[in-house]
Amino acid sequence: HIDKYRKQSRVWVRETPQVYAEITKPYIDGEPVARLQWVYNILDGTSESDRVVVADDDEENGFVVLPDFKWDGVALDSLYLVVIVRRRDIRSLRDLGSQHLPLLKNIRDKVEAAVEKTYGVGADQLRLYVHYQPSYYHFHVHVTNINFEGKGMLAGRAHLLDSVIDNIENIASDYYQKASLSFVLGSDDALWPLLANKE
């Protein structure tokens, strides 16, 4: 997380399905599981349980929602929550397929209802999106007030949850396995040297 916010030059990456299969996926699969222990602690209730806004305990389609550290917890115009799914087999956007539509729709519907009930912010004031590349490889969804502006919502990083659902449901069930995805990457990111040498 510290490296993510350090000043560094940015590079534009166009990741084809082949590049993903040959470079990115092995990189993701090689990430030590210990790097996600803090996520598992949240899901297991052994840490940050006092910060959880909503919890759905279903093992397939459940999740927990808690405030992101970027939000002060008070100013609703800058509301920022993160949804962490309970499943441990979805690492990134690339793993999503039609079998995950119930999970994605459950997140959208329950989170929108919970945010309105808890904070009085309606669905028409929320932006739900997924990062690719994400900061950590356990599937999660960002929820922000539409008045909040941050780098994480820029093209080349954010994919709106509604669009993700639509792409899978109405274009192709394996859309994210077939699509070329472009994204911005910091030049100090450990993935960049692997991608830079892909020729």
Side-chain angles (χ1 to χ4, degrees), residues 145-159:
N145 189 308
I146 58 170
N147 294 304
F148 175 79
E149 295 180 9
K151 291 180 186 176
M153 288 169 277
L154 298 175
R157 185 91 197 272
H159 298 259

Side-chain angles (χ1 to χ4, degrees), residues 16-17 29 48 52 68-69 71 77 79 83 87-89 98-99 104 114 117 150 152 157 161 167 169 171 183 189 195:
T16 64
D29 291 344
E48 302 193 48
V52 171
D68 191 278
F69 288 110
W71 184 39
D77 274 356
L79 178 136
V83 181
R87 299 176 61 138
R88 299 185 183 194
D89 61 336
S98 57
Q99 70 274 27
L104 300 174
K117 181 178 179 183
R157 185 91 197 272
L161 182 60
N167 288 338
E169 193 167 44
I171 297 177
F183 53 88
D189 191 293
L195 293 168

Side-chain angles (χ1 to χ4, degrees), residues 38-157:
W38 67 274
V39 173
Y40 301 151
N41 291 346
I42 291 170
L43 293 173
D44 296 340
T46 56
S47 72
E48 302 193 48
S49 58
D50 58 321
R51 299 182 66 236
V52 171
V53 175
V54 123
D56 181 326
D57 294 330
D58 185 90
E59 288 300 318
E60 287 294 304
N61 301 315
F63 53 85
V64 298
V65 181
L66 60 163
D68 191 278
F69 288 110
K70 289 184 273 303
W71 184 39
D72 64 9
V74 178
L76 293 180
D77 274 356
S78 60
L79 178 136
Y80 197 136
L81 307 170
V82 65
V83 181
I84 303 174
V85 303
R86 293 203 177 275
R87 299 176 61 138
R88 299 185 183 194
D89 61 336
I90 309 172
R91 308 293 296 278
S92 77
L93 188 63
R94 284 284 192 191
D95 294 325
L96 295 175
S98 57
Q99 70 274 27
H100 302 114
L101 286 171
L103 168 65
L104 300 174
K105 291 178 179 181
N106 189 44
I107 290 170
R108 180 187 60 197
D109 298 345
K110 286 188 179 170
V111 169
E112 287 177 351
V115 171
E116 182 155 23
K117 181 178 179 183
T118 306
Y119 300 108
V121 179
D124 62 345
Q125 294 295 301
L126 294 177
R127 182 187 289 120
L128 283 73
Y129 57 95
V130 177
H131 284 153
Y132 192 78
Q133 290 284 320
S135 300
Y136 53 95
Y137 294 105
H138 179 100
F139 188 69
H140 57 285
V141 177
H142 300 264
V143 181
T144 61
N145 189 308
I146 58 170
N147 294 304
F148 175 79
E149 295 180 9
K151 291 180 186 176
M153 288 169 277
L154 298 175
R157 185 91 197 272

Side-chain angles (χ1 to χ4, degrees), residues 12-47:
W12 187 259
V13 176
R14 183 174 182 272
E15 182 188 79
T16 64
Q18 181 180 353
V19 168
Y20 173 75
E22 293 176 2
I23 298 171
T24 311
K25 188 175 188 315
Y27 170 81
I28 292 170
D29 291 344
E31 285 276 286
V33 176
R35 282 197 178 167
L36 293 174
Q37 191 57 53
W38 67 274
V39 173
Y40 301 151
N41 291 346
I42 291 170
L43 293 173
D44 296 340
T46 56
S47 72

